[in-house]
Amino acid sequence: MPTHQRLGGTIVTTPTPRLAVRHLSKSFGSIRVLDGVSLDAEKGQVISIIGSSGSGKSTLLRCLNLLEVPDAGEVALDGQPVRFQTRRGRLHMSREIQALRASLPMVFQSFNLWRHMTVLDNVAAAPIHVLGRPRAEAREHAAALLTRVGLADRAGHYPHQLSGGQQQRAAIARALAMEPKVLLFDEPTSALDPELVGEVLKVIEALAEAGNTMILVTHEMGFARNVSNHVVLLDHGAVAEAGPPEQVFEAPTSERAAQFLASVM
Amino acid sequence: MDWALMASFYPDLATGITVTLGILVGALSIGVVLGAVICAARLNRVPVLAQVFDGYVLFFRGTPLLVQLFAIYFGLGQFEAVRDSIAWPLLREAWFCAVLALGLNSAAFTSEIMRGGVLGVERGQLEAADAFGFSPLQTLWLVLLPQALRIALPAYGNEVILMLKGTALASTISIMEITGLARKLSSEHFAPFEAFIAAGTIYLVISITLTSSFSFIERRLV
Protein backbone atom coordinates (compact mmCIF):
# COMPACT_ATOMS: atom_id res chain seq x y z
CA MET A 1 0.00 0.00 0.00
CA PRO A 2 1.97 3.01 -1.25
CA THR A 3 1.33 6.22 0.56
CA HIS A 4 1.04 9.45 -1.35
CA GLN A 5 2.36 12.69 -0.05
CA ARG A 6 2.02 16.07 -1.63
CA LEU A 7 5.34 17.89 -1.73
CA GLY A 8 5.33 21.28 -3.43
CA GLY A 9 2.73 20.23 -5.94
CA THR A 10 4.36 16.94 -7.04
CA ILE A 11 3.20 13.54 -5.85
CA VAL A 12 5.95 11.49 -4.18
CA THR A 13 5.28 7.80 -3.82
CA THR A 14 7.12 6.22 -0.93
CA PRO A 15 8.02 2.62 -1.73
CA THR A 16 5.78 -0.14 -0.47
CA PRO A 17 7.35 -1.65 2.63
CA ARG A 18 8.57 -5.21 2.23
CA LEU A 19 6.50 -6.26 5.21
CA ALA A 20 3.71 -4.18 6.69
CA VAL A 21 2.04 -5.20 9.93
CA ARG A 22 -1.15 -3.41 10.94
CA HIS A 23 -2.99 -3.61 14.27
CA LEU A 24 -2.10 -7.22 14.97
CA SER A 25 -3.89 -8.70 17.96
CA LYS A 26 -3.76 -12.15 19.46
CA SER A 27 -5.07 -13.68 22.66
CA PHE A 28 -4.38 -17.02 24.26
CA GLY A 29 -7.54 -17.66 26.24
CA SER A 30 -8.15 -14.58 28.30
CA ILE A 31 -4.58 -13.32 28.00
CA ARG A 32 -4.07 -10.66 25.35
CA VAL A 33 -0.59 -11.37 24.04
CA LEU A 34 -0.62 -8.87 21.18
CA ASP A 35 -2.67 -5.72 21.36
CA GLY A 36 -2.80 -3.84 18.08
CA VAL A 37 0.84 -4.00 17.00
CA SER A 38 1.86 -2.18 13.82
CA LEU A 39 5.28 -2.32 12.22
CA ASP A 40 6.89 -1.72 8.83
CA ALA A 41 9.98 -3.45 7.53
CA GLU A 42 11.54 -1.69 4.57
CA LYS A 43 13.68 -3.64 2.16
CA GLY A 44 17.16 -4.09 3.65
CA GLN A 45 16.06 -3.01 7.08
CA VAL A 46 17.11 -4.90 10.21
CA ILE A 47 14.53 -4.68 12.94
CA SER A 48 15.10 -5.88 16.50
CA ILE A 49 12.14 -6.64 18.69
CA ILE A 50 13.02 -6.40 22.35
CA GLY A 51 11.05 -6.52 25.58
CA SER A 52 10.74 -8.54 28.76
CA SER A 53 9.68 -12.18 28.51
CA GLY A 54 5.95 -12.49 28.06
CA SER A 55 5.76 -9.18 26.25
CA GLY A 56 4.62 -10.90 23.05
CA LYS A 57 7.86 -10.71 21.02
CA SER A 58 7.91 -14.30 19.83
CA THR A 59 4.16 -14.36 19.25
CA LEU A 60 4.49 -11.29 17.03
CA LEU A 61 7.20 -12.98 15.00
CA ARG A 62 5.20 -16.20 14.77
CA CYS A 63 2.13 -14.32 13.57
CA LEU A 64 4.12 -13.03 10.60
CA ASN A 65 4.49 -16.49 9.05
CA LEU A 66 1.21 -17.73 10.56
CA LEU A 67 2.78 -20.25 12.93
CA GLU A 68 0.33 -18.46 15.21
CA VAL A 69 -2.95 -17.24 13.79
CA PRO A 70 -3.66 -13.62 14.67
CA ASP A 71 -7.15 -12.79 15.90
CA ALA A 72 -7.22 -9.44 14.16
CA GLY A 73 -5.03 -7.20 12.05
CA GLU A 74 -3.26 -7.52 8.75
CA VAL A 75 0.12 -8.53 7.43
CA ALA A 76 1.13 -7.53 3.91
CA LEU A 77 4.17 -8.75 2.03
CA ASP A 78 5.29 -6.38 -0.72
CA GLY A 79 1.90 -4.73 -0.54
CA GLN A 80 0.00 -8.02 -0.90
CA PRO A 81 -2.20 -8.68 2.12
CA VAL A 82 -1.79 -12.20 3.48
CA ARG A 83 -5.06 -14.07 3.24
CA PHE A 84 -5.87 -17.12 5.31
CA GLN A 85 -8.82 -19.08 6.60
CA THR A 86 -9.33 -20.96 9.82
CA ARG A 87 -11.44 -24.01 10.45
CA ARG A 88 -12.44 -24.81 14.00
CA GLY A 89 -9.79 -22.38 15.18
CA ARG A 90 -7.02 -24.04 13.19
CA LEU A 91 -5.30 -22.58 10.18
CA HIS A 92 -6.54 -24.02 6.91
CA MET A 93 -3.44 -24.71 4.83
CA SER A 94 -3.22 -23.27 1.35
CA ARG A 95 -0.58 -22.82 -1.34
CA GLU A 96 -0.66 -19.13 -0.56
CA ILE A 97 0.35 -19.73 3.06
CA GLN A 98 3.06 -22.16 1.98
CA ALA A 99 4.43 -19.55 -0.42
CA LEU A 100 4.34 -16.90 2.31
CA ARG A 101 6.24 -19.14 4.71
CA ALA A 102 8.77 -20.06 2.05
CA SER A 103 9.59 -16.38 1.61
CA LEU A 104 9.71 -15.68 5.36
CA PRO A 105 11.80 -18.57 6.69
CA MET A 106 12.49 -18.68 10.41
CA VAL A 107 15.56 -19.37 12.51
CA PHE A 108 14.44 -20.91 15.80
CA GLN A 109 15.79 -20.59 19.30
CA SER A 110 16.27 -24.36 19.50
CA PHE A 111 17.58 -24.63 15.89
CA ASN A 112 15.06 -27.34 14.93
CA LEU A 113 17.29 -28.78 12.26
CA TRP A 114 15.72 -31.97 10.95
CA ARG A 115 17.63 -34.54 12.90
CA HIS A 116 17.29 -37.41 10.40
CA MET A 117 18.91 -35.38 7.60
CA THR A 118 22.52 -34.39 7.08
CA VAL A 119 23.34 -30.71 7.36
CA LEU A 120 23.48 -30.44 3.56
CA ASP A 121 20.09 -32.13 3.19
CA ASN A 122 18.64 -29.82 5.82
CA VAL A 123 19.66 -26.84 3.72
CA ALA A 124 18.60 -28.34 0.39
CA ALA A 125 15.29 -29.93 1.48
CA ALA A 126 12.93 -26.97 1.33
CA PRO A 127 14.35 -25.56 -1.94
CA ILE A 128 13.82 -28.99 -3.53
CA HIS A 129 10.42 -29.84 -2.06
CA VAL A 130 8.87 -26.41 -1.61
CA LEU A 131 10.48 -24.23 -4.27
CA GLY A 132 10.76 -27.07 -6.77
CA ARG A 133 14.44 -26.53 -7.52
CA PRO A 134 16.33 -29.32 -9.30
CA ARG A 135 18.06 -31.54 -6.77
CA ALA A 136 21.63 -31.06 -8.02
CA GLU A 137 21.27 -27.31 -8.22
CA ALA A 138 19.76 -27.08 -4.72
CA ARG A 139 22.53 -29.19 -3.23
CA GLU A 140 25.18 -27.12 -4.94
CA HIS A 141 23.59 -23.93 -3.63
CA ALA A 142 23.32 -25.50 -0.16
CA ALA A 143 27.02 -26.36 -0.18
CA ALA A 144 27.87 -22.78 -1.14
CA LEU A 145 25.71 -21.43 1.71
CA LEU A 146 27.35 -23.79 4.19
CA THR A 147 30.71 -22.44 3.10
CA ARG A 148 29.39 -18.95 3.68
CA VAL A 149 28.48 -19.73 7.30
CA GLY A 150 31.76 -21.57 7.84
CA LEU A 151 30.41 -25.12 7.81
CA ALA A 152 31.79 -26.44 4.52
CA ASP A 153 33.45 -29.35 6.34
CA ARG A 154 30.27 -30.30 8.21
CA ALA A 155 27.95 -30.78 5.21
CA GLY A 156 27.78 -34.55 5.63
CA HIS A 157 27.31 -34.51 9.39
CA TYR A 158 24.05 -34.96 11.24
CA PRO A 159 22.79 -32.13 13.48
CA HIS A 160 23.55 -33.98 16.72
CA GLN A 161 27.20 -34.20 15.71
CA LEU A 162 27.45 -30.40 15.69
CA SER A 163 27.85 -27.85 18.48
CA GLY A 164 24.95 -25.53 19.22
CA GLY A 165 26.64 -22.66 17.44
CA GLN A 166 27.28 -24.80 14.38
CA GLN A 167 23.69 -26.03 14.38
CA GLN A 168 22.39 -22.49 14.51
CA ARG A 169 24.68 -21.44 11.66
CA ALA A 170 23.38 -24.40 9.65
CA ALA A 171 19.83 -23.29 10.48
CA ILE A 172 20.67 -19.83 9.16
CA ALA A 173 22.01 -21.39 5.94
CA ARG A 174 18.75 -23.36 5.69
CA ALA A 175 16.79 -20.11 5.90
CA LEU A 176 19.05 -18.36 3.38
CA ALA A 177 18.54 -21.19 0.90
CA MET A 178 14.96 -20.00 0.45
CA GLU A 179 16.24 -16.72 -0.99
CA PRO A 180 13.98 -15.09 1.57
CA LYS A 181 12.22 -11.77 1.36
CA VAL A 182 12.48 -11.40 5.12
CA LEU A 183 14.50 -13.52 7.53
CA LEU A 184 12.85 -14.14 10.88
CA PHE A 185 15.03 -14.87 13.92
CA ASP A 186 13.34 -16.05 17.12
CA GLU A 187 15.88 -15.53 19.92
CA PRO A 188 18.62 -17.19 17.84
CA THR A 189 21.26 -17.15 20.59
CA SER A 190 19.17 -17.84 23.70
CA ALA A 191 19.80 -21.59 23.69
CA LEU A 192 23.55 -21.28 23.13
CA ASP A 193 26.42 -21.57 25.56
CA PRO A 194 27.85 -18.08 26.13
CA GLU A 195 31.07 -18.82 24.27
CA LEU A 196 29.12 -19.86 21.14
CA VAL A 197 26.94 -16.75 20.94
CA GLY A 198 29.62 -14.72 19.18
CA GLU A 199 30.00 -16.96 16.12
CA VAL A 200 26.24 -16.86 15.46
CA LEU A 201 25.95 -13.11 15.95
CA LYS A 202 28.86 -12.64 13.55
CA VAL A 203 27.01 -14.54 10.84
CA ILE A 204 23.81 -12.53 11.44
CA GLU A 205 25.80 -9.31 11.35
CA ALA A 206 27.31 -10.27 7.99
CA LEU A 207 23.79 -10.92 6.65
CA ALA A 208 22.70 -7.48 7.83
CA GLU A 209 25.64 -5.90 6.05
CA ALA A 210 24.80 -7.85 2.90
CA GLY A 211 21.44 -6.07 2.80
CA ASN A 212 19.07 -8.83 3.92
CA THR A 213 15.76 -7.72 5.39
CA MET A 214 15.58 -9.22 8.86
CA ILE A 215 13.37 -9.18 11.91
CA LEU A 216 15.01 -10.44 15.10
CA VAL A 217 13.54 -11.18 18.47
CA THR A 218 16.51 -10.89 20.77
CA HIS A 219 17.75 -10.49 24.31
CA GLU A 220 21.16 -9.31 23.15
CA MET A 221 20.79 -5.57 23.70
CA GLY A 222 24.29 -4.65 22.57
CA PHE A 223 23.74 -6.61 19.38
CA ALA A 224 20.31 -5.08 18.77
CA ARG A 225 21.86 -1.68 19.12
CA ASN A 226 24.82 -2.30 16.82
CA VAL A 227 23.22 -4.33 14.06
CA SER A 228 19.66 -3.11 13.68
CA ASN A 229 18.51 0.16 12.20
CA HIS A 230 15.11 -0.02 13.85
CA VAL A 231 14.23 -1.22 17.33
CA VAL A 232 10.76 -2.06 18.60
CA LEU A 233 10.20 -2.40 22.31
CA LEU A 234 7.12 -4.43 23.17
CA ASP A 235 5.39 -4.21 26.51
CA HIS A 236 2.29 -6.25 27.34
CA GLY A 237 1.67 -6.87 23.68
CA ALA A 238 1.84 -3.27 22.57
CA VAL A 239 4.61 -1.16 21.09
CA ALA A 240 6.03 0.88 23.98
CA GLU A 241 8.79 2.50 21.97
CA ALA A 242 10.00 2.26 18.39
CA GLY A 243 12.65 4.02 16.40
CA PRO A 244 16.32 4.02 15.52
CA PRO A 245 18.46 2.27 18.15
CA GLU A 246 20.15 5.49 19.33
CA GLN A 247 16.76 6.97 20.12
CA VAL A 248 15.25 3.88 21.75
CA PHE A 249 18.31 3.07 23.83
CA GLU A 250 19.49 6.57 24.73
CA ALA A 251 16.42 8.76 24.74
CA PRO A 252 13.36 6.60 25.32
CA THR A 253 10.23 8.70 25.48
CA SER A 254 7.99 6.29 27.40
CA GLU A 255 8.48 5.56 31.06
CA ARG A 256 7.98 1.82 30.50
CA ALA A 257 10.81 1.80 27.97
CA ALA A 258 13.11 3.65 30.31
CA GLN A 259 12.32 1.16 33.08
CA PHE A 260 12.94 -1.85 30.87
CA LEU A 261 16.21 -0.49 29.52
CA ALA A 262 17.40 0.40 33.00
CA SER A 263 16.77 -3.19 34.07
CA VAL A 264 18.66 -4.86 31.20
CA MET A 265 21.50 -2.47 30.39
CA MET B 1 19.60 -86.90 26.00
CA ASP B 2 19.95 -88.55 22.62
CA TRP B 3 21.95 -86.15 20.47
CA ALA B 4 21.75 -88.28 17.37
CA LEU B 5 17.97 -88.50 17.67
CA MET B 6 17.75 -84.77 18.22
CA ALA B 7 19.88 -84.14 15.11
CA SER B 8 17.60 -86.44 13.12
CA PHE B 9 14.60 -84.23 14.00
CA TYR B 10 15.97 -81.17 12.23
CA PRO B 11 15.11 -82.10 8.63
CA ASP B 12 11.49 -82.78 9.66
CA LEU B 13 11.22 -79.62 11.76
CA ALA B 14 12.74 -77.54 8.95
CA THR B 15 9.64 -78.20 6.83
CA GLY B 16 7.69 -76.24 9.44
CA ILE B 17 9.87 -73.14 9.13
CA THR B 18 8.06 -71.87 6.05
CA VAL B 19 4.71 -72.36 7.81
CA THR B 20 5.92 -70.46 10.89
CA LEU B 21 7.37 -67.66 8.79
CA GLY B 22 4.26 -67.56 6.60
CA ILE B 23 2.01 -67.05 9.62
CA LEU B 24 4.46 -64.47 10.98
CA VAL B 25 4.66 -62.45 7.77
CA GLY B 26 0.88 -62.61 7.25
CA ALA B 27 0.16 -61.53 10.82
CA LEU B 28 2.72 -58.74 10.76
CA SER B 29 1.31 -57.45 7.46
CA ILE B 30 -2.19 -57.25 8.93
CA GLY B 31 -0.66 -55.72 12.05
CA VAL B 32 1.17 -52.94 10.20
CA VAL B 33 -1.70 -51.99 7.88
CA LEU B 34 -4.48 -52.16 10.48
CA GLY B 35 -2.16 -50.75 13.15
CA ALA B 36 -1.49 -47.69 10.99
CA VAL B 37 -5.22 -47.17 10.46
CA ILE B 38 -5.92 -47.54 14.19
CA CYS B 39 -3.06 -45.21 15.08
CA ALA B 40 -4.16 -42.52 12.60
CA ALA B 41 -7.80 -42.71 13.69
CA ARG B 42 -6.96 -42.52 17.39
CA LEU B 43 -4.36 -39.76 17.11
CA ASN B 44 -6.71 -37.61 15.02
CA ARG B 45 -9.66 -38.52 17.25
CA VAL B 46 -11.83 -39.42 14.27
CA PRO B 47 -15.37 -39.53 15.67
CA VAL B 48 -16.79 -43.05 16.31
CA LEU B 49 -13.76 -44.78 14.75
CA ALA B 50 -11.45 -43.50 17.50
CA GLN B 51 -13.77 -44.80 20.25
CA VAL B 52 -14.22 -48.15 18.51
CA PHE B 53 -10.44 -48.56 18.20
CA ASP B 54 -9.91 -47.49 21.82
CA GLY B 55 -12.05 -50.47 22.79
CA TYR B 56 -10.32 -52.69 20.23
CA VAL B 57 -6.86 -51.94 21.60
CA LEU B 58 -8.08 -52.40 25.17
CA PHE B 59 -9.51 -55.81 24.30
CA PHE B 60 -6.61 -57.19 22.26
CA ARG B 61 -3.96 -55.95 24.65
CA GLY B 62 -5.83 -57.07 27.73
CA THR B 63 -6.71 -60.66 26.81
CA PRO B 64 -4.45 -63.66 26.10
CA LEU B 65 -3.53 -64.33 22.49
CA LEU B 66 -4.54 -67.97 22.97
CA VAL B 67 -8.04 -66.91 24.03
CA GLN B 68 -8.31 -64.70 20.95
CA LEU B 69 -7.15 -67.56 18.73
CA PHE B 70 -9.67 -70.02 20.23
CA ALA B 71 -12.48 -67.47 20.04
CA ILE B 72 -11.86 -67.00 16.33
CA TYR B 73 -11.14 -70.62 15.36
CA PHE B 74 -13.61 -72.48 17.57
CA GLY B 75 -16.02 -69.65 18.33
CA LEU B 76 -16.93 -67.95 15.08
CA GLY B 77 -18.26 -71.12 13.47
CA GLN B 78 -21.15 -71.34 15.94
CA PHE B 79 -22.82 -68.34 14.33
CA GLU B 80 -24.95 -69.14 11.34
CA ALA B 81 -24.35 -65.72 9.85
CA VAL B 82 -20.62 -66.50 9.80
CA ARG B 83 -21.14 -69.96 8.30
CA ASP B 84 -23.34 -68.43 5.59
CA SER B 85 -20.98 -65.57 4.83
CA ILE B 86 -18.62 -65.48 1.87
CA ALA B 87 -15.72 -65.43 4.35
CA TRP B 88 -16.58 -68.89 5.71
CA PRO B 89 -14.36 -70.88 3.32
CA LEU B 90 -11.48 -68.87 4.76
CA LEU B 91 -12.67 -68.69 8.36
CA ARG B 92 -12.93 -72.46 8.68
CA GLU B 93 -9.30 -72.85 7.65
CA ALA B 94 -7.00 -73.16 10.66
CA TRP B 95 -4.11 -71.33 8.96
CA PHE B 96 -6.35 -68.39 8.13
CA CYS B 97 -7.64 -68.17 11.70
CA ALA B 98 -4.08 -68.27 13.01
CA VAL B 99 -2.97 -65.44 10.71
CA LEU B 100 -6.11 -63.46 11.52
CA ALA B 101 -5.86 -63.84 15.31
CA LEU B 102 -2.17 -63.03 15.40
CA GLY B 103 -2.66 -60.18 12.94
CA LEU B 104 -5.51 -58.59 14.89
CA ASN B 105 -3.50 -58.93 18.08
CA SER B 106 -0.38 -57.48 16.48
CA ALA B 107 -2.40 -54.55 15.09
CA ALA B 108 -3.35 -53.50 18.63
CA PHE B 109 0.26 -53.53 19.83
CA THR B 110 1.66 -52.10 16.58
CA SER B 111 -0.77 -49.17 16.71
CA GLU B 112 0.46 -48.34 20.20
CA ILE B 113 4.10 -48.60 19.07
CA MET B 114 3.35 -46.29 16.13
CA ARG B 115 1.56 -43.88 18.42
CA GLY B 116 4.59 -43.75 20.67
CA GLY B 117 6.78 -43.09 17.63
CA VAL B 118 4.61 -40.25 16.33
CA LEU B 119 4.23 -38.62 19.74
CA GLY B 120 7.96 -38.99 20.32
CA VAL B 121 8.82 -36.64 17.44
CA GLU B 122 9.71 -33.21 18.81
CA ARG B 123 7.17 -30.46 18.09
CA GLY B 124 9.99 -28.23 16.83
CA GLN B 125 10.81 -30.69 14.03
CA LEU B 126 7.31 -30.37 12.63
CA GLU B 127 7.16 -26.66 13.26
CA ALA B 128 10.32 -26.17 11.21
CA ALA B 129 8.67 -28.05 8.34
CA ASP B 130 5.61 -25.80 8.65
CA ALA B 131 7.77 -22.70 8.81
CA PHE B 132 9.54 -23.59 5.56
CA GLY B 133 6.31 -24.02 3.64
CA PHE B 134 6.02 -27.83 3.57
CA SER B 135 2.50 -29.04 2.83
CA PRO B 136 0.90 -31.23 5.52
CA LEU B 137 1.56 -34.30 3.36
CA GLN B 138 5.22 -33.33 2.86
CA THR B 139 5.62 -32.79 6.60
CA LEU B 140 4.19 -36.27 7.12
CA TRP B 141 6.42 -38.02 4.58
CA LEU B 142 9.61 -36.03 4.87
CA VAL B 143 9.78 -35.33 8.60
CA LEU B 144 7.16 -37.04 10.77
CA LEU B 145 7.25 -40.62 9.43
CA PRO B 146 11.05 -40.97 9.06
CA GLN B 147 11.56 -39.73 12.60
CA ALA B 148 8.64 -41.68 14.09
CA LEU B 149 9.95 -44.82 12.38
CA ARG B 150 13.35 -44.35 13.95
CA ILE B 151 11.79 -43.91 17.38
CA ALA B 152 9.40 -46.84 16.99
CA LEU B 153 11.82 -49.34 15.46
CA PRO B 154 13.32 -50.85 18.65
CA ALA B 155 9.86 -51.43 20.12
CA TYR B 156 8.63 -52.86 16.83
CA GLY B 157 11.58 -55.24 16.69
CA ASN B 158 10.41 -56.50 20.05
CA GLU B 159 6.88 -56.94 18.70
CA VAL B 160 8.19 -59.03 15.79
CA ILE B 161 10.00 -61.36 18.20
CA LEU B 162 6.89 -61.67 20.37
CA MET B 163 4.82 -62.51 17.28
CA LEU B 164 7.38 -65.11 16.16
CA LYS B 165 6.92 -66.86 19.48
CA GLY B 166 3.17 -66.32 19.26
CA THR B 167 3.06 -68.41 16.07
CA ALA B 168 3.73 -71.47 18.25
CA LEU B 169 0.13 -71.16 19.49
CA ALA B 170 -1.02 -72.07 15.99
CA SER B 171 -0.02 -75.65 16.84
CA THR B 172 -3.00 -75.76 19.24
CA ILE B 173 -5.39 -75.49 16.30
CA SER B 174 -3.77 -78.33 14.34
CA ILE B 175 -1.27 -76.35 12.31
CA MET B 176 1.97 -78.17 11.58
CA GLU B 177 4.39 -75.35 12.06
CA ILE B 178 7.63 -75.83 14.02
CA THR B 179 5.98 -76.47 17.40
CA GLY B 180 3.24 -78.63 15.90
CA LEU B 181 5.85 -80.82 14.21
CA ALA B 182 7.86 -80.99 17.44
CA ARG B 183 4.79 -82.26 19.27
CA LYS B 184 4.26 -84.89 16.61
CA LEU B 185 7.91 -86.01 16.70
CA SER B 186 7.95 -86.06 20.48
CA SER B 187 5.00 -88.43 20.68
CA GLU B 188 6.18 -90.61 17.82
CA HIS B 189 9.64 -91.08 19.35
CA PHE B 190 8.77 -90.65 23.04
CA ALA B 191 11.49 -88.02 23.10
CA PRO B 192 9.88 -84.73 24.13
CA PHE B 193 13.07 -83.13 25.39
CA GLU B 194 14.99 -83.76 22.16
CA ALA B 195 12.05 -82.65 20.01
CA PHE B 196 11.29 -79.42 21.85
CA ILE B 197 14.92 -78.43 22.35
CA ALA B 198 15.48 -78.94 18.62
CA ALA B 199 12.41 -76.77 17.92
CA GLY B 200 13.65 -74.19 20.42
CA THR B 201 17.01 -73.88 18.70
CA ILE B 202 15.27 -73.18 15.39
CA TYR B 203 13.22 -70.38 16.99
CA LEU B 204 16.41 -69.08 18.56
CA VAL B 205 18.21 -68.90 15.22
CA ILE B 206 15.26 -67.10 13.64
CA SER B 207 14.94 -64.57 16.45
CA ILE B 208 18.68 -63.88 16.55
CA THR B 209 18.54 -63.25 12.80
CA LEU B 210 15.57 -60.88 13.24
CA THR B 211 17.14 -59.07 16.19
CA SER B 212 20.40 -58.47 14.38
CA SER B 213 18.55 -57.31 11.27
CA PHE B 214 16.70 -54.75 13.35
CA SER B 215 19.82 -53.50 15.06
CA PHE B 216 21.51 -53.26 11.66
CA ILE B 217 18.65 -51.09 10.36
CA GLU B 218 18.67 -49.02 13.56
CA ARG B 219 22.34 -48.26 13.10
CA ARG B 220 21.80 -47.32 9.45
CA LEU B 221 19.04 -44.88 10.43
CA VAL B 222 21.39 -42.89 12.71
Side-chain angles (χ1 to χ4, degrees):
Chain A
M1 12 172 172
T3 52
H4 302 280
Q5 295 171 320
R6 213 163 260 286
L7 275 185
T10 57
I11 292 173
V12 177
T13 307
T14 59
T16 310
R18 173 122 284 184
L19 194 71
V21 179
R22 290 288 170 272
H23 314 298
L24 218 55
S25 292
K26 168 84 184 167
S27 298
F28 291 118
S30 61
I31 303 161
R32 204 161 175 79
V33 187
L34 290 179
D35 195 359
V37 175
S38 295
L39 164 78
D40 275 351
E42 308 293 344
K43 195 158 180 277
Q45 208 173 24
V46 178
I47 298 179
S48 290
I49 302 172
I50 59 173
S52 46
S53 45
S55 60
K57 306 181 299 284
S58 288
T59 307
L60 171 59
L61 200 69
R62 293 163 58 84
C63 279
L64 301 181
N65 62 0
L66 293 175
L67 283 185
E68 300 289 355
V69 184
D71 301 332
E74 190 180 78
V75 176
L77 185 63
D78 286 329
Q80 290 292 320
V82 174
R83 290 174 306 172
F84 62 88
Q85 290 180 327
T86 53
R87 279 185 197 168
R88 281 188 240 110
R90 290 183 55 178
L91 187 68
H92 180 62
M93 275 310 293
S94 66
R95 294 224 169 259
E96 206 180 328
I97 296 171
Q98 283 173 248
L100 169 83
R101 288 175 168 173
S103 42
L104 304 178
M106 184 177 263
V107 174
F108 296 88
Q109 179 177 352
S110 47
F111 330 130
N112 294 352
L113 289 170
W114 296 302
R115 58 200 310 164
H116 62 298
M117 298 182 192
T118 63
V119 170
L120 186 79
D121 288 333
N122 262 280
V123 180
I128 292 168
H129 297 290
V130 179
L131 304 179
R133 298 278 149 77
R135 194 166 287 268
E137 185 193 309
R139 291 175 68 87
E140 208 171 294
H141 188 211
L145 287 170
L146 287 174
T147 307
R148 193 167 149 195
V149 298
L151 290 175
D153 56 335
R154 294 287 183 274
H157 288 58
Y158 285 89
H160 69 91
Q161 298 170 312
L162 268 54
S163 73
Q166 290 172 330
Q167 289 191 51
Q168 195 59 303
R169 283 187 280 147
I172 292 171
R174 176 172 71 167
L176 284 174
M178 305 305 283
E179 289 164 10
K181 290 191 169 168
V182 184
L183 278 165
L184 307 179
F185 293 84
D186 189 5
E187 303 192 20
T189 57
S190 299
L192 295 175
D193 292 337
E195 73 270 23
L196 301 176
V197 170
E199 63 184 73
V200 172
L201 292 184
K202 218 175 284 173
V203 169
I204 299 175
E205 203 172 338
L207 297 178
E209 277 159 21
N212 291 281
T213 315
M214 316 200 284
I215 301 179
L216 299 110
V217 167
T218 184
H219 289 298
E220 301 278 336
M221 294 303 151
F223 181 74
R225 185 173 180 159
N226 294 334
V227 170
S228 45
N229 38 39
H230 190 79
V231 176
V232 176
L233 176 82
L234 281 191
D235 180 48
H236 291 96
V239 177
E241 189 89 29
E246 309 80 51
Q247 183 204 310
V248 172
F249 285 108
E250 273 151 44
T253 52
S254 75
E255 191 173 326
R256 185 65 195 94
Q259 272 174 14
F260 172 72
L261 292 166
S263 70
V264 295
M265 301 293 271
Chain B
M1 182 82 179
D2 186 340
W3 293 100
L5 183 64
M6 183 174 145
S8 76
F9 287 161
Y10 279 102
D12 279 338
L13 289 174
T15 62
I17 294 175
T18 50
V19 182
T20 292
L21 292 181
I23 296 170
L24 179 67
V25 169
L28 291 175
S29 306
I30 294 175
V32 165
V33 174
L34 184 57
V37 172
I38 293 172
C39 175
R42 291 183 78 202
L43 279 178
N44 293 307
R45 296 317 297 168
V46 177
V48 186
L49 220 50
Q51 284 81 18
V52 169
F53 285 140
D54 286 349
Y56 177 97
V57 171
L58 196 69
F59 176 79
F60 278 95
R61 289 210 312 167
T63 57
L65 180 52
L66 188 62
V67 170
Q68 295 158 19
L69 181 66
F70 282 176
I72 288 172
Y73 182 63
F74 298 118
L76 286 183
Q78 85 183 52
F79 299 105
E80 208 174 308
V82 174
R83 288 196 305 272
D84 292 341
S85 79
I86 51 163
W88 181 240
L90 280 175
L91 281 173
R92 67 179 194 201
E93 294 285 347
W95 67 266
F96 183 81
C97 289
V99 170
L100 186 66
L102 266 69
L104 294 178
N105 181 278
S106 181
F109 284 93
T110 304
S111 78
E112 285 292 271
I113 291 167
M114 290 172 170
R115 199 163 77 116
V118 169
L119 294 178
V121 176
E122 278 171 41
R123 271 298 312 161
Q125 296 285 312
L126 307 175
E127 195 161 71
D130 285 346
F132 278 78
F134 285 30
S135 69
L137 207 62
Q138 284 176 323
T139 303
L140 181 73
W141 275 107
L142 299 172
V143 180
L144 182 65
L145 289 182
Q147 295 200 19
L149 180 74
R150 178 63 192 84
I151 296 169
L153 206 59
Y156 187 68
N158 212 12
E159 164 66 12
V160 171
I161 301 298
L162 288 175
M163 270 297 127
L164 168 68
K165 294 185 289 185
T167 58
L169 296 180
S171 65
T172 61
I173 56 168
S174 81
I175 293 176
M176 284 298 146
E177 39 66 75
I178 298 170
T179 305
L181 290 170
R183 264 167 60 162
K184 194 173 109 212
L185 291 171
S186 102
S187 51
E188 282 170 6
H189 298 267
F190 307 106
F193 196 70
E194 285 80 356
F196 288 118
I197 290 298
T201 57
I202 295 178
Y203 283 113
L204 198 58
V205 169
I206 298 174
S207 49
I208 289 171
T209 309
L210 289 170
T211 309
S212 39
S213 311
F214 271 96
S215 27
F216 176 74
I217 299 169
E218 277 165 39
R219 267 181 276 119
R220 289 281 314 264
L221 288 177
V222 185

